[in-house]
Amino acid sequence: WGPGRPGWHIECSAMTHEIFGSKLALHTGGVDLRFPHHCNEIAQCEAHNGEEGWCKSFLHTGHLHIAGLKMSKSLKNFVTVREFLQELAQEQAQAQSQLGQHLNEAASPSDVFRLFCLLHRYSANIHYSPDRITDARAVHRQFQGFLSSAAAHLNHLERSEKGGSSGSGSG
């Protein structure tokens, strides 16, 4: 047989070589792929290349859980990012029409999604719920409040400097 472990998800090794060449800087995937999938990919690619060091770094992420179960196509409990963002946009539009807010005052659905992701450690499982989306919106409001306060403070300083230098000239 020779070096490597042929036959186990060989298509992943073949695709990475075809698309990215014989070396990778970073390879990602769920924590469940660490072993045996990524171990087999390493063995296959290094055997194919005839040298070690096929991939410099791996990043293994936690799983997304919905209603207590890992999101999975086989369980049919998955949603695409596009669908998720559309749903957030619809919820946001409904809430704003009820509260009479302007659309430009609220966080964009993509910003809410980014904050939702950033509120979790990359390697930990994420448990999706409407409450976690509410948390992400609240964090966005805090950021916006801070940025507004910082901008107002900087504007005040700028006006003070202009006022101070023009009022203290000698005649």
Side-chain angles (χ1 to χ4, degrees):
W1 285 86
R5 301 174 195 167
W8 203 89
H9 287 215
I10 193 74
E11 72 275 9
C12 295
S13 303
M15 284 188 297
T16 57
H17 271 76
E18 177 67 24
I19 295 168
F20 300 110
S22 62
K23 299 280 185 188
L24 290 180
L26 177 67
H27 193 329
T28 65
V31 68
D32 58 327
L33 296 178
R34 183 179 291 141
F35 180 84
H37 184 79
H38 286 158
C39 291
N40 286 328
E41 267 190 297
I42 292 166
Q44 291 164 0
C45 291
E46 290 181 354
H48 175 77
N49 295 338
E51 64 179 324
E52 291 184 10
W54 164 66
C55 182
K56 289 185 181 186
S57 299
F58 279 85
L59 178 85
H60 293 99
T61 60
H63 296 126
L64 177 61
H65 288 249
I66 298 175
L69 299 171
K70 178 183 151 193
M71 187 172 83
S72 165
K73 284 183 183 179
S74 63
L75 294 176
K76 296 183 173 86
N77 69 340
F78 72 97
V79 63
T80 67
V81 171
R82 179 175 283 124
E83 292 167 343
F84 179 76
L85 293 176
Q86 287 172 346
E87 184 180 316
L88 280 180
Q90 289 170 353
E91 288 174 9
Q92 183 172 313
Q94 288 173 347
Q96 288 170 342
S97 67
Q98 291 171 355
L99 298 173
Q101 295 176 331
H102 298 287
L103 283 173
N104 61 356
E105 292 177 2
S108 71
S110 56
D111 286 344
V112 172
F113 177 70
R114 287 181 188 105
L115 283 169
F116 168 74
C117 293
L118 288 170
L119 289 172
H120 300 86
R121 182 172 163 76
Y122 78 92
S123 60
N125 291 336
I126 297 175
H127 297 274
Y128 170 80
S129 74
D131 289 343
R132 299 295 70 84
I133 298 303
T134 300
D135 294 345
R137 284 191 175 114
V139 168
H140 184 271
R141 280 193 300 276
Q142 290 174 330
F143 276 124
Q144 289 303 110
F146 170 77
L147 293 173
S148 294
S149 295
H153 180 71
L154 291 173
N155 286 336
H156 174 74
L157 289 176
E158 189 176 284
R159 284 192 308 272
S160 295
E161 288 175 1
K162 286 180 182 177
S165 61
S166 63
S168 63
S170 57

